Amino acid sequence: GAVVSQHPSWVICKSGTSVKIECRSLDFQATTMFWYRQFPKQSLMLMATSNEGSKATYEQGVEKDKFLINHASLTLSTLTVTSAHPEDSSFYICSARDERGRGYTFGSGTRLTVV
Amino acid sequence: GDSVTQMEGPVTLSEEAFLTINCTYTATGYPSLFWYVQYPGEGLQLLLKATKADDKGSNKGFEATYRKETTSFHLEKGSVQVSDSAVYFCALRGVSGNTPLVFGKGTRLSVIA
């Protein structure tokens, strides 16, 4: 079945540094990628939607200059948390849909801790 | 907009007990409905889904029936196991285009031996 590989699975970084999270679709072309964040004991909140080759669409309240999304190819989307702060500590997870819109395949998530 | 309301946990059950996790939704038309499971430290996995009214999704002993009249998609399992301990999310996908999933807040289930 469809697989999305997300890396890293966890990362600890210092305040002010940037962190890049990658999601790769291994056996299908991910024309659309959704990026979510999840706070402890809360639900997944959609951050942005990206379509291959075009700019991401961000949800209200999500800073696009802080959370840079690149979806340059049909198999790779990246989320870069720029100038990270402790309040950015969260669980980030991607979800991909293929060109036929079949199902949602989730990555395994990235736990980011900013110290 | 579309929304999902899910019973809040945590829910603690003994092994072999009956499980129900309530989920209701608000959406226009006939959305697709999903249950996802998240085991500790892992991402989400699709547990089951239903795409039209009266459909029953089932997997690994879990079931949920799409009830349009009550806008519900309650998750049930007749006999839970310790390995079912996880967080369960109810979600919907709206009818229009390439939309993202809308999730409920999740219900943490702990099954004790």
Side-chain angles (χ1 to χ4, degrees), chain A residues 32 34 36 38 41-44 46 49 51 91 93 97 101 104 106-109, chain B residues 34 36 38 41-44 89 93 97-106 108:
Chain A
T32 303
F34 304 103
Y36 295 85
Q38 182 184 27
K41 298 184 180 180
Q42 294 191 27
S43 188
L44 284 79
L46 181 67
T49 302
N51 292 295
F91 189 72
I93 192 165
R97 297 200 82 188
Y104 299 81
F106 284 84
S108 55
Chain B
F34 305 81
Y36 281 83
Q38 184 180 30
E42 299 183 14
L44 272 70
F89 291 93
R93 176 171 62 89
N98 195 20
T99 54
L101 294 173
V102 175
F103 287 89
K105 290 188 175 181
R108 183 175 298 277

Side-chain angles (χ1 to χ4, degrees), chain A residues 33-105:
Chain A
M33 191 74 78
F34 304 103
W35 286 93
Y36 295 85
R37 68 184 296 183
Q38 182 184 27
F39 291 102
K41 298 184 180 180
Q42 294 191 27
S43 188
L44 284 79
M45 300 301 296
L46 181 67
M47 299 175 66
T49 302
S50 72
N51 292 295
E52 183 267 337
S54 60
K55 290 185 178 180
T57 302
Y58 290 80
E59 296 299 300
Q60 192 172 6
V62 178
E63 299 175 59
K64 58 184 176 183
D65 293 332
K66 181 167 188 61
F67 298 99
L68 301 179
I69 292 172
N70 184 288
H71 193 168
S73 79
L74 286 171
T75 59
L76 175 64
S77 178
T78 62
L79 166 67
T80 301
V81 182
T82 63
S83 186
H85 289 93
E87 58 266 29
D88 299 324
S89 299
S90 190
F91 189 72
Y92 294 87
I93 192 165
C94 62
S95 173
R97 297 200 82 188
D98 66 15
E99 67 276 12
R100 299 183 189 179
R102 295 174 295 186
Y104 299 81
T105 304

